[in-house]
Amino acid sequence: MYEGAVQELIDELGRLPGVGPKSAQRLAFHILEADPQDMKRLVEAITTVKDKVKFCTVCGNVTEQELCNICRDPRRDPSIICVVEESKDVLAVERTRSFRGRYHVLGGAINPIAGVGPEQLRIRELLTRLNDGAVQEVIIATDPNLEGEATATYLARMLKSIGIAVTRLASGLPVGGDLEYADEVTLGRAFEGRRNALT
Amino acid sequence: MYEGAVQELIDELGRLPGVGPKSAQRLAFHILEADPQDMKRLVEAITTVKDKVKFCTVCGNVTEQELCNICRDPRRDPSIICVVEESKDVLAVERTRSFRGRYHVLGGAINPIAGVGPEQLRIRELLTRLNDGAVQEVIIATDPNLEGEATATYLARMLKSIGIAVTRLASGLPVGGDLEYADEVTLGRAFEGRRNALT
């Protein structure tokens, strides 16, 4: 064990996700030897995020204000909501530049093993948004894995029962990929979802 | 890109060694969602290390005082110095409980590609420690890789020329390892360093 402060830093770093004991030690020694100005900036960045950044009261996306920059933007179509698991998924969809509606961030996916049920997600908030009748379509864009699919199915059934049009992102071959390397589930979905070759 | 503070945190985290853009994003969101008390502790741990921890003026090991706890310990034999690359190597040797001498931390290894020559390491400080004639033996415990071996050879020649007994850690098969999986260099070293089977 190291002397007090170094060991404490290693312990704190080791609590971060994906940082094992060896990485924590390496990071601690980096911090120890780094330029004090650089480390001051890191500390300030952490403190600022904790002090200033919160979650948009409407969609749950990260923001430094009451509403996130997408919910504040009057040019974004309020009649379509894209439901995603995390704020980082908002960014991924934004990068495509093909969606001009609003978002709803669930804050995760249904995962009974990790103790995450529908009530732990921001589903109640989504229903509140749908109350005023302005929303025409909800696009479910959860991750294409077990938890994401379970969440999508749950949401689709619930939203259908209250009469909202619900769509899901297409499954299929990734663009630029190689057919022979596609897994069988993806390839199967690509067949199911085949479309007219002339459109 | 995220709004200001989140993106700044991602950028700062991405400057840490071994933290790629994806990990930086994951860490930033973890920090964002984590218990404020936990993050306060992390920030304090970083700040304390930068404020309090320095390098022992004698051996170069990390310490919160002028001298590290090993250099301060009168029970440690001052006639044997074990030379290592980094403070973490001190800890590794200490864990063996088989060395009761003192240490000297070089602060790295000779690596011409990275621009690290002998003058960037704490070799001058080592020579100063050897001046008073109290040191009988220097054990070189640099890493068994290219840079460590180059550093060991450089030090061994220099120390021999000033008449100090210099030894190096044995190379050979790792205990608990499997002979068939040993690389040929290690196995070759194990042959060269073979010893009487009855001692």
Side-chain angles (χ1 to χ4, degrees):
Chain A
M1 298 281 278
Y2 293 94
E3 288 184 54
V6 178
Q7 190 59 45
E8 262 164 51
L9 179 57
I10 294 174
D11 292 346
E12 289 301 334
L13 291 168
R15 288 195 187 98
L16 296 173
V19 179
K22 283 278 166 194
S23 311
Q25 182 177 283
R26 187 162 39 96
L27 284 173
F29 276 94
H30 169 84
I31 288 169
L32 191 55
E33 287 159 19
D35 180 345
Q37 283 312 108
D38 289 353
M39 289 307 109
K40 211 173 157 214
R41 278 212 316 280
L42 174 63
V43 160
E44 278 167 3
I46 296 173
T47 312
T48 307
V49 155
K50 292 309 282 180
D51 288 350
K52 283 203 196 154
V53 179
K54 36 199 182 188
F55 298 95
C56 174
T57 50
V58 170
C59 76
N61 192 10
V62 292
T63 181
E64 290 171 38
Q65 301 183 36
E66 175 83 7
L67 297 181
C68 75
N69 50 12
I70 294 171
C71 286
R72 280 199 311 271
D73 187 344
R75 291 164 304 176
R76 304 294 297 232
D77 184 352
S79 70
I80 307 184
I81 292 181
C82 175
V83 176
V84 295
E85 294 182 17
E86 309 282 358
S87 281
K88 36 185 180 273
D89 301 324
V90 170
L91 203 76
V93 177
E94 284 296 287
R95 273 196 293 260
T96 68
R97 296 173 187 274
S98 59
F99 178 69
R100 296 302 300 163
R102 312 260 169 135
Y103 291 92
H104 193 80
V105 180
L106 293 173
I110 294 172
N111 185 349
I113 295 162
V116 181
E119 58 290 345
Q120 270 82 49
L121 304 176
R122 298 182 69 261
I123 292 177
R124 215 184 348 252
E125 289 86 343
L126 176 61
L127 293 178
T128 310
R129 290 178 74 180
L130 302 177
N131 263 345
D132 65 359
V135 178
Q136 308 287 316
E137 182 185 352
V138 169
I139 302 174
I140 303 178
T142 50
D143 286 341
N145 56 24
L146 203 66
E147 293 79 20
E149 300 273 313
T151 311
T153 306
Y154 178 90
L155 283 177
R157 284 188 191 147
M158 192 183 63
L159 297 177
K160 207 181 159 193
S161 73
I162 59 170
I164 303 255
V166 190
T167 56
R168 289 179 58 177
L169 295 190
S171 285
L173 296 176
V175 178
D178 211 331
L179 191 134
E180 88 178 279
Y181 296 128
D183 66 282
E184 56 270 37
V185 180
T186 303
L187 195 50
R189 292 278 180 87
F191 269 90
E192 283 169 32
R194 67 191 180 278
R195 47 182 198 157
N196 190 325
L198 294 174
T199 58
Chain B
M1 299 283 279
Y2 293 94
E3 287 184 56
V6 177
Q7 190 59 44
E8 263 165 49
L9 179 57
I10 294 174
D11 292 346
E12 290 300 333
L13 291 168
R15 288 194 186 98
L16 296 173
V19 180
K22 282 277 168 196
S23 311
Q25 182 178 283
R26 187 162 40 95
L27 284 172
F29 276 94
H30 168 85
I31 289 170
L32 190 56
E33 288 158 19
D35 179 347
Q37 283 310 109
D38 289 354
M39 290 306 109
K40 212 173 157 213
R41 279 212 316 279
L42 173 64
V43 160
E44 277 167 4
I46 297 173
T47 313
T48 308
V49 155
K50 293 309 284 180
D51 287 350
K52 283 202 193 154
V53 179
K54 35 200 184 189
F55 298 95
C56 174
T57 51
V58 170
C59 77
N61 192 9
V62 291
T63 180
E64 290 173 38
Q65 301 182 35
E66 174 84 8
L67 298 181
C68 75
N69 50 10
I70 295 171
C71 287
R72 280 200 310 271
D73 187 345
R75 292 165 304 177
R76 303 294 298 232
D77 184 351
S79 71
I80 307 184
I81 291 180
C82 175
V83 176
V84 293
E85 294 181 18
E86 307 283 357
S87 281
K88 38 185 177 270
D89 301 324
V90 170
L91 202 76
V93 177
E94 285 296 287
R95 273 196 292 259
T96 69
R97 297 175 186 273
S98 59
F99 178 69
R100 296 302 299 164
R102 311 261 170 134
Y103 290 92
H104 193 81
V105 180
L106 293 174
I110 294 172
N111 184 349
I113 295 163
V116 182
E119 58 289 345
Q120 269 82 47
L121 304 175
R122 297 182 69 260
I123 293 177
R124 214 185 349 254
E125 290 85 343
L126 176 61
L127 294 176
T128 310
R129 290 179 73 179
L130 302 176
N131 263 346
D132 66 358
V135 178
Q136 309 286 317
E137 182 184 352
V138 169
I139 302 174
I140 302 177
T142 50
D143 286 341
N145 56 23
L146 204 66
E147 294 79 21
E149 300 273 313
T151 312
T153 307
Y154 178 90
L155 283 176
R157 283 188 190 145
M158 193 184 63
L159 297 177
K160 206 182 162 193
S161 74
I162 59 170
I164 303 254
V166 190
T167 56
R168 287 178 59 177
L169 295 189
S171 283
L173 297 176
V175 178
D178 211 331
L179 193 133
E180 87 178 281
Y181 296 128
D183 67 283
E184 55 269 38
V185 180
T186 302
L187 195 52
R189 291 279 180 87
F191 268 90
E192 284 169 29
R194 67 190 180 280
R195 49 179 197 158
N196 190 322
L198 294 174
T199 60

